[in-house]
């Protein structure tokens, strides 16, 4: 079965919704496109909604009338708590009753719920890379404090040209564009709980596609690297899209987004800080923000919702060097 | 008086030591060159030593016999404490008696000592950007914990091609090359003391020239942004090469190395984390690692040692856009 | 049937020849790797030889004893004429008798010969992009003079770090590294004949993967754009890996390597110079030098040799944006 | 005397004309800025006009009433012939009587006329690099045909963000954006005459600042490299901003814009095509399009008009590596 064989329907609005499902699968982000992917298999077939933030909330009823299953890629249905939405997005949610109907579309944390679910949200790219970096430590109750320092490429900024995306200004930039106050913190908190202190900053670097988090983790106890291996392997060994990357030599010793362009991998690695008196472990994770951080997780979630093979349409292993 | 007018002598070895003094001044790093800059004005004129790490220590006696004043750009004379040297450089120092004769060549912290000094060390680029980011907070006794996450360009890696510097591998990289264990921590500790917990990581990004530190600072008390202004302005207002950068709007709201190429500026800015219960302030600082982080600070130190105008040879304001 | 399912044997030398067949298929070039070899499991299965230039010529007998079909990716068997080899490679060919046994591995020009062939050469990336740009005009006897100005990425330089590939030197370069004398001219001449004057230059630009030729063609007669369409469409309409790209508006009006990374496409477009009194047409063609310009054409040729589907293993459509 | 000491007046319109004279001198292009104007304090002091193309023509009378000397950086007064203007800019010139009053602002070709002149035009960056590459050959009457293939950075596109300048689309591009019909041909023709066939194409590459022309020159007679040296040295030896660059070894054998960022140099080199039966010589020239290709030539012209030192404000030697 192949996504590309699907027939694409756009009963709503031919101008706004034209099928780009193949693009979605190979990694041209929904969010990067100025238009929207909608895919109907048959009557009752699923819809992937990729409207700008805020618009999905106001049109969800209409989409729900058209399709049994929906994955929404915007930020509108990621948070369960209307108060959290208001705090981080600065306005009341347009359709708060719908928040509870959605599953957060990250299979690594919600696989069972996604199986057969009707509604799944998309995920924030910076949230995803951070959540996947931290989930094993958080799950084990080891985290006391985290400073998550995320480096991201220009495709995170969307498809609209701006002063900040103008090539002479953006090329070669190392720009601290969100040192505090980034909205994706809300997703991290929702998914990992509030048992640890979280600091979160995002810096734009010269790169189109990719995100890397350097998660400086301060643990409640000293932990050796082989225990970390055990912990992470235990949590992720059956995950189809997570790889543990930790080499002692070579140039690719830890995860790098450069190797992941177009793939749905999230690579995770770590290093214990031998000099730290504060039980510091640096966890490094990387992904393609347009794939695992957006469209890829959406497709992976939909696969689960439909009972398909989870990796369907997502097997591209990445391209190197680019 | 102009550096370029100096006559260049190389009495030692014409093959090894040829004059590139102008290069030094305009920013082609000593460390980036495969050879070495040595400048003799007249008998007793100063020498800038730019030998590989380890070699300056073994030849210092010889240079001292040739010149009254020496600035050494290597890492050999940055640390005062032989034990710290051994710990971070993995070997005993070849000439430990000389360590105490050198002043750490960062004018912002050692201006008075440098005035008239005979020997000054160079500075580590990542150490410098971090020390200048933190010095006002450290001086005020406000720092409890710091996570300094540094992003650096490829010129930090030196002039020798390696597997990691090969363009197809290095282009577009976001590479966590030193998440723990970076030697520059020793300089930061020496200069700022050990009253606070320090975590330090370095990530290579796509950039040739430049370094940016995102210093996540957790303070002993809550501090408002206007107090930070007062603190930083008080400390740096008379510094010829430090600018405070903190805009509310626009694309260059905080320091960026992209704007500093070729200049001797270190730009410093900050943002209070309104969401933090841990009194978090993010201090961001940027510089050109080949200038303020290496050759520029060396020249600035030498200017002070000679009693010259401190900004001599260092007035290039930077180039934008590049 | 899937390339990845093949078991890889290295009966010759485990150190020198290790299987990277999957890499080949997804686009990590043979030429970019230190050494690459693949041998299929079954007796009589084909070999892809990816030894450095010069080594294939001296080992061909040995390989021929191991496998019925061989695709050699080096430059050793691209030219039919030993004299041409001597002229462009500066030495006599080690096994000139073998030259006549090889088919030049460009399916667009040698499909019939490749079907069932035992030996096929690789292709030069710059030659391929130029040959595919010019073949329709050359075939129609319209070419009088051509200036082929090729722009290439850093992966063309191979896997070995050099002074020229060192990131601080290579990043942002626009380097005229071969304004005259490029060896790929020999392949172009062999494939397109010598009925026209050919000038050929190569400039390295900031890019890892990709080549673009701007072929300034001066024709024997004036030709309108719709006639060019007819000519190129007639020649290429059934080609599985050639697309004609020529838009009147938008930012991707003509072929661009940026859109082709990892794919086996060669995109071709053209524009008639309305101001030219010399019947100038500019033909622009782009490809991924590691795919259609190297490994991709090798696989495509092997598919033909084996009687497989020509596009087997080569269906990746490219990744955008990267 | 130092440009930076001048006081800047903006008597016309504070919103439109604000002083950025220092920027001009250090290389932030006039063309890159939204609007830039500089007026010297003293009565009768010169004006540098940097309005968008088309606006200078309609406001020239007003400026002429304010200042004795004007350098206009737009394209409005570069051409002497109103018919040529109409042909290349698609409209009649607003103030054709003024065309004859302006000197084309390229000192290498019009130094004598610029000395004491009242009005000078700016120059097109692509025209300048091509004119300086070809002038010695054109002057000697040796040119029969030229294909000038120019590679340019993103700062040529101006300061306004567009779909084509959006970083995810522009990064890593090798984009044939003007294969035929580029307006700068008009300037080249005006300056070098029409004794030779000229073909001209421009390709955008990954670079912010810089232009390189590969000028494929077909001469009326065979010429040896030492004669080319003689010809170019004879023409350019006293030029303060032209350097001949032609090395036999190393990575910087021919001119490269990467080495010229921020400088006013135009580097020129050449290579005789030993294989050519058409007397082909490849001339390669490079400059910083925001300096020698725009603001730098404007300042150089103004220096001549005012009788100042020609290199005043333009002595920055460039920055390497960037």
């Amino acid at each position: 079965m192949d996504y590309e064989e699907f027939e694409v329907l756009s009963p709503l609005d031919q101008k706004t919704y034209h099928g780009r499902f193949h693009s979605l699968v190979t990694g041209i982000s929904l969010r990067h496109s100025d238009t929207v992917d909608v895919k109907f298999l048959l009557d009752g077939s699923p819809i992937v909604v990729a409207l700008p933030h805020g618009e999905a909330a106001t049109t969800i009823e209409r989409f729900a009338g058209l399709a049994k299953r929906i994955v929404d890629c915007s930020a509108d249905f990621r948070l369960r708590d209307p108060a959290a939405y208001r705090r981080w997005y600065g306005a009341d949610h347009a359709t708060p009753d719908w928040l509870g109907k959605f599953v957060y579309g990250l299979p690594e944390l919600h696989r069972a719920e996604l199986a057969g679910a009707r509604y799944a949200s998309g995920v924030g790219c910076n949230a995803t890379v951070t959540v996947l970096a931290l989930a094993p430590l958080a799950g084990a109750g080891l985290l006391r404090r985290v400073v998550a320092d995320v480096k991201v490429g220009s495709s995170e900024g969307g498809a609209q040209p701006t002063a900040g995306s103008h090539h002479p200004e953006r090329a070669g930039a190392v720009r601290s564009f969100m040192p505090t106050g980034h909205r994706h913190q809300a997703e991290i908190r929702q998914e990992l709980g509030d048992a640890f202190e979280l600091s979160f900053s995002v810096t734009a670097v010269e790169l189109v596609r990719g995100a890397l988090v350097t998660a400086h983790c301060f643990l409640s106890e000293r932990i050796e690297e082989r225990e970390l291996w055990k912990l992470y392997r235990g949590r992720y060994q059956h995950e189809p899209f997570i790889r543990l990357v930790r080499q002692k030599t070579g140039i690719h010793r830890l995860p790098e987004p450069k190797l992941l362009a177009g793939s749905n991998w999230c690579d995770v690695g770590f290093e214990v800080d031998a000099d730290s008196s504060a039980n510091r472990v640096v966890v490094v994770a990387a992904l393609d923000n347009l794939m695992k951080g957006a469209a890829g997780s959406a497709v992976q979630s939909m696969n689960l919702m439909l009972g398909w093979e989870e990796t369907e349409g997502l097997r591209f292993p990445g391209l190197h060097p680019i």
Side-chain angles (χ1 to χ4, degrees), chain A residues 224-226 228-229 244-255 269-274:
Chain A
E224 298 303 320
E225 201 156 313
R226 61 186 161 73
L228 280 173
W229 271 106
L244 299 187
V245 176
R246 171 72 172 117
Q247 303 293 326
K248 291 294 183 184
T249 59
I251 60 175
H252 302 298
R253 296 186 299 276
L254 287 166
F270 37 73
E271 189 168 296
V272 173
D273 185 349

Side-chain angles (χ1 to χ4, degrees), chain A residues 12-79:
Chain A
L12 297 176
D13 176 349
Q14 288 291 348
K15 283 199 180 152
T16 312
Y17 306 95
H18 51 95
R20 294 197 188 172
F21 201 68
H22 178 63
S23 297
L24 181 150
V25 175
T26 56
I28 299 177
S29 170
L30 303 171
R31 296 178 60 202
H32 190 72
S33 306
D34 51 355
T35 52
V36 162
D37 288 25
V38 174
K39 176 64 198 62
F40 302 83
L41 179 57
L42 292 170
D43 284 339
S45 69
I47 296 181
V48 176
V49 179
L51 293 170
H53 297 317
E55 294 186 24
T58 58
T59 52
I60 182 62
E61 301 271 5
R62 190 175 174 200
F63 285 114
L66 285 165
K68 185 176 170 194
R69 298 185 204 281
I70 294 175
V71 176
D72 172 54
C73 293
S74 79
D76 290 6
F77 297 103
R78 295 180 194 163
L79 303 182

